[in-house]
């Protein structure tokens, strides 16, 4: 089943054309890793997938529903698309528990006991059960990011988007977050991951997209893309980062 | 001392009126401020303009002129009739509302954009985001500035004595002219205002400590 279909996506900020023309398809349970130089449009691409950026032209379909069509309720669609940010963006005035139960209670009408039970299960999964009553300010970066993942998972999303989830972390924290993501991938979550972690992309990616200059320059299984890149720009980029 | 003891019951009666006007005006003023801040930040140009004109008009004119306009000016119209206390409450509320709206707007804008993005990505709509994520954080951040404006508004209520509201200042004026003890009475008046404002600041810093942003 096709989870995400992107057709001739274009995105401009004023006169600046960040995404010139991108099309791709993400199937159910696929893990897609998006790599590319900074400023190439990969984060913007990801943010167009849940319309966090208004789409200038083209179409994005989530499970067949066109999110660029204003008649479709974007808030409803976003409930199925979890997102994890580089800067975590936890709600600092709420405890870890409150961060996680907020959306299920307000949007799905879940009662408190059920929501908290589920939150505890998710905290177990990310290894932070004992932090339920802590505030985000009391957590390390890696812990914050794992809470952010739990918060997104609390809505039972069908797709998870990760926007450079480990880029703001101290090196020793990266592993914990990647482990949680690997676990999710193994469970069959459909994931789109913008990342600089080439190791993760090579190990977990079903496909890797190389984005540069507003285009998807090349997409392939990691073995081929990393081992036998076809385009000069891909080769130049990989020679710098590998 | 005897002057003080004799005058005090009258002054405390005036104080009740002052506090009554202050609390009602500050609550209405807060609601006006919140509404104006939201209009100012709304995506609709016409609403931005309404809020901006309101705020600029109030900030650009003296309090006493606003008071006269509302009490004498509006009351001179056929279809409006307000007693002086009502006119006083309305003036203080509108005046405070204009300043509150700027405080609230700045507070909302000071919250990191990532908060809205996280909330919206979970599926919250813009109203839910404002209510559960942005405003609770913004209010904590704006509390000190908010207290300052509340204190200014409390002091502004003393100007209502000019239109004959029987507030603390007005009772002081009556006592001063009745006893011919202007020095003692106005000193006492100042002390009472000082104590009330001091208690108000203490209450505010207690609340601030309790709701400190983590």
């Amino acid at each position: 089943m096709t989870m995400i279909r992107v057709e001739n996506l274009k995105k401009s900020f004023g006169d600046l054309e960040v995404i010139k023309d991108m099309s791709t398809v993400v199937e159910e349970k696929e893990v897609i890793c998006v790599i590319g130089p900074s400023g190439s449009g990969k984060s913007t691409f990801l943010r167009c997938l849940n319309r966090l950026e208004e789409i200038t032209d083209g179409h994005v379909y989530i499970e067949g529903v066109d999110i660029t069509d204003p008649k479709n309720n974007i808030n409803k669609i976003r409930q199925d698309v979890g997102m994890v940010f580089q800067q975590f963006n936890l709600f600092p005035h709420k405890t870890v528990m409150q961060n996680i139960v907020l959306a299920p209670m307000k949007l799905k009408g879940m009662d408190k006991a059920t929501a908290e039970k589920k939150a505890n299960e998710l905290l177990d999964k990310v290894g932070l059960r004992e932090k339920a009553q802590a505030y985000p300010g009391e957590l390390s970066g890696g812990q914050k990011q794992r809470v952010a993942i739990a918060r997104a998972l609390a809505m039972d999303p069908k797709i998870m988007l990760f926007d450079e989830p480990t880029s703001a972390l101290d090196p020793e924290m990266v592993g914990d977050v990647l482990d949680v993501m690997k676990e999710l991938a193994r469970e069959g979550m459909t994931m789109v991951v913008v990342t600089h972690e080439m190791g993760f992309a090579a190990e977990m990616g079903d496909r890797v997209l190389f984005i540069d200059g507003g285009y998807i320059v090349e997409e392939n299984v990691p073995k081929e893309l990393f081992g036998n890149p076809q385009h000069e720009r891909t080769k130049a980029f990989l020679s710098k980062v590998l | 001392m005897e002057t003080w003891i004799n005058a005090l019951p009258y002054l405390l009666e005036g104080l009740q009126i002052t506090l009554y006007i202050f609390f009602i005006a500050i609550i209405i003023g807060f609601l006006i401020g919140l509404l104006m801040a939201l209009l100012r930040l709304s995506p609709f140009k016409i609403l931005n303009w309404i809020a901006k004109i309101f705020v600029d008009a109030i900030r650009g004119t003296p309090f006493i002129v606003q008071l006269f306009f509302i009490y004498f000016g509006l009351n001179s119209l056929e279809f409006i009739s307000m007693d002086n206390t009502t006119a006083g409450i309305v003036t203080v509320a509108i005046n405070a509302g204009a300043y509150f709206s700027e405080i609230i707007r700045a507070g909302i804008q000071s919250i990191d954009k990532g908060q809205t993005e996280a909330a919206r990505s979970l599926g919250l709509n813009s109203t839910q985001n404002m209510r559960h994520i942005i405003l609770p954080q913004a209010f904590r951040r704006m509390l000190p500035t908010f207290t300052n404006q509340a204190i200014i508004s409390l002091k502004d209520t003393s100007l209502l004595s000019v239109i004959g509201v029987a507030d603390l200042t007005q009772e002081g004026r009556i006592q001063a002219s009745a006893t011919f003890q202007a020095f003692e009475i106005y000193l006492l008046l100042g002390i009472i205002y000082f104590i009330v404002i001091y208690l108000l600041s203490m209450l505010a810093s207690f609340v601030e400590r309790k709701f400190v942003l983590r």
Side-chain angles (χ1 to χ4, degrees):
Chain A
M1 186 190 171
T2 302
M3 298 301 278
I4 307 173
R5 178 183 297 278
V6 180
E7 280 177 4
N8 303 107
L9 174 67
K10 294 181 181 67
K11 170 67 188 174
S12 304
F13 294 98
D15 290 337
L16 184 67
E17 219 180 351
V18 178
I19 297 181
K20 291 181 178 132
D21 189 356
M22 292 188 186
S23 299
T24 192
V25 168
V26 181
E27 300 295 335
E28 191 174 9
K29 300 192 176 185
E30 261 193 316
V31 176
I32 305 297
C33 292
V34 181
I35 62 169
S38 54
S40 59
K42 54 191 192 302
S43 280
T44 308
F45 166 74
L46 191 77
R47 293 159 58 88
C48 284
L49 299 184
N50 63 352
R51 231 179 78 192
L52 224 43
E53 299 291 354
E54 282 303 323
I55 292 162
T56 308
D57 198 15
H59 295 276
V60 174
Y61 300 88
I62 300 292
E63 294 181 281
V65 179
D66 186 356
I67 65 168
T68 57
D69 185 343
K71 285 202 289 288
N72 292 321
N73 182 351
I74 187 66
N75 297 315
K76 194 81 191 153
I77 297 164
R78 281 176 179 151
Q79 294 184 17
D80 285 342
V81 185
M83 190 166 199
V84 174
F85 301 85
Q86 183 176 357
Q87 295 299 336
F88 330 125
N89 297 341
L90 293 179
F91 307 132
H93 60 302
K94 294 183 179 296
T95 62
V96 165
M97 177 58 77
Q98 290 166 339
N99 264 273
I100 298 174
V101 300
L102 175 82
M105 285 175 67
K106 298 293 173 201
L107 301 177
K108 290 191 163 169
M110 203 181 272
D111 65 86
K112 196 170 175 211
T114 315
E116 290 193 342
K117 184 165 169 283
K118 184 166 172 57
N120 277 321
E121 288 166 16
L122 289 167
L123 284 173
D124 274 339
K125 189 171 182 163
V126 300
L128 290 171
R129 177 107 185 216
E130 74 284 0
K131 296 290 185 188
Q133 296 313 317
Y135 281 89
E138 299 160 5
L139 304 179
S140 71
Q143 291 171 334
K144 282 182 194 165
Q145 196 59 300
R146 285 183 281 155
V147 171
I149 294 173
R151 179 177 68 179
L153 290 175
M155 287 300 284
D156 282 323
K158 296 180 179 145
I159 300 165
M160 283 285 283
L161 308 177
F162 292 85
D163 190 3
E164 303 194 24
T166 58
S167 297
L169 299 179
D170 292 335
E172 74 268 26
M173 308 280 182
V174 171
D176 291 340
V177 171
L178 290 182
D179 285 346
V180 170
M181 291 168 62
K182 286 177 188 172
E183 172 76 25
L184 261 183
R186 283 190 208 102
E187 288 170 7
M189 176 64 77
T190 308
M191 295 163 61
V192 181
V193 186
V194 171
T195 187
H196 294 292
E197 297 289 331
M198 297 302 152
F200 177 85
E203 185 189 341
M204 299 309 297
D206 293 306
R207 262 183 310 139
V208 178
L209 308 190
F210 172 68
I211 286 182
D212 192 18
Y215 295 99
I216 298 173
V217 175
E218 189 166 349
E219 66 175 286
N220 213 330
V221 295
K223 199 163 162 253
E224 283 298 309
L225 192 123
F226 288 118
N228 185 21
Q230 297 300 308
H231 288 75
E232 284 310 316
R233 280 192 284 177
T234 321
K235 286 177 195 166
F237 175 73
L238 290 175
S239 71
K240 279 184 217 147
V241 297
L242 288 181
Chain B
M1 204 60 191
E2 211 187 307
T3 323
W4 282 21
I5 290 163
N6 291 334
L8 200 57
Y10 298 101
L11 294 185
L12 289 181
E13 229 165 87
L15 178 62
Q16 275 183 24
I17 304 283
T18 290
L19 291 178
Y20 165 77
I21 290 171
F22 169 70
F23 282 118
I24 293 183
I26 222 74
I27 290 166
I28 299 172
F30 179 79
L31 296 176
I32 293 173
L34 183 59
L35 176 70
M36 288 298 157
L38 294 176
L39 293 187
R40 190 70 194 271
L41 294 171
S42 90
F44 303 106
K45 277 262 157 16
I46 178 99
L47 298 181
N48 302 164
W49 275 101
I50 292 172
K52 190 166 156 41
I53 289 168
F54 168 76
V55 171
D56 285 353
I58 299 299
R59 290 209 302 186
T61 51
F63 179 87
I64 196 92
V65 173
Q66 295 161 15
L67 181 65
F68 287 170
F69 176 76
I70 287 170
Y71 184 55
F72 299 118
L74 291 185
N75 260 344
S76 72
L77 302 175
E78 294 258 334
F79 50 93
I80 291 181
S81 141
M82 274 181 284
D83 63 27
N84 53 6
T85 306
T86 309
I89 290 174
V90 170
T91 310
V92 175
I94 287 177
N95 183 274
Y99 290 96
F100 281 155
S101 94
E102 289 295 275
I103 295 169
I104 295 170
R105 178 170 73 100
I108 290 173
Q109 286 179 326
S110 77
I111 305 300
D112 182 64
K113 223 170 95 257
Q115 293 290 304
T116 296
E117 292 183 350
R120 298 306 301 271
S121 78
L122 286 166
L124 272 70
N125 63 32
S126 58
T127 312
Q128 291 165 327
N129 171 47
M130 219 13 122
R131 180 162 152 227
H132 299 295
I133 307 303
I134 303 302
L135 287 180
Q137 294 185 61
F139 285 145
R140 282 160 219 231
R141 210 169 274 188
M142 67 182 83
L143 209 54
T145 351
F146 190 82
T147 309
N148 278 341
Q149 180 54 44
I151 288 171
I152 292 170
S153 290
L154 177 62
K155 291 193 279 195
D156 280 347
T157 61
S158 74
L159 288 164
L160 303 185
S161 62
V162 175
I163 57 167
V165 174
D167 77 326
L168 179 55
T169 302
Q170 178 72 351
E171 290 295 338
R173 282 167 67 182
I174 293 167
Q175 289 305 311
S177 51
T179 60
F180 300 105
Q181 306 279 334
F183 179 84
E184 286 87 345
I185 295 295
Y186 285 123
L187 180 62
L188 178 60
L189 193 60
I191 291 171
I192 294 174
Y193 272 113
F194 179 82
I195 291 171
V196 170
I197 287 167
Y198 191 77
L199 290 176
L200 194 67
S201 327
M202 285 210 331
L203 177 71
S205 49
F206 170 76
V207 174
E208 263 167 55
R209 258 179 280 123
K210 203 151 174 179
F211 291 100
V212 67
L213 191 60
R214 288 160 209 270

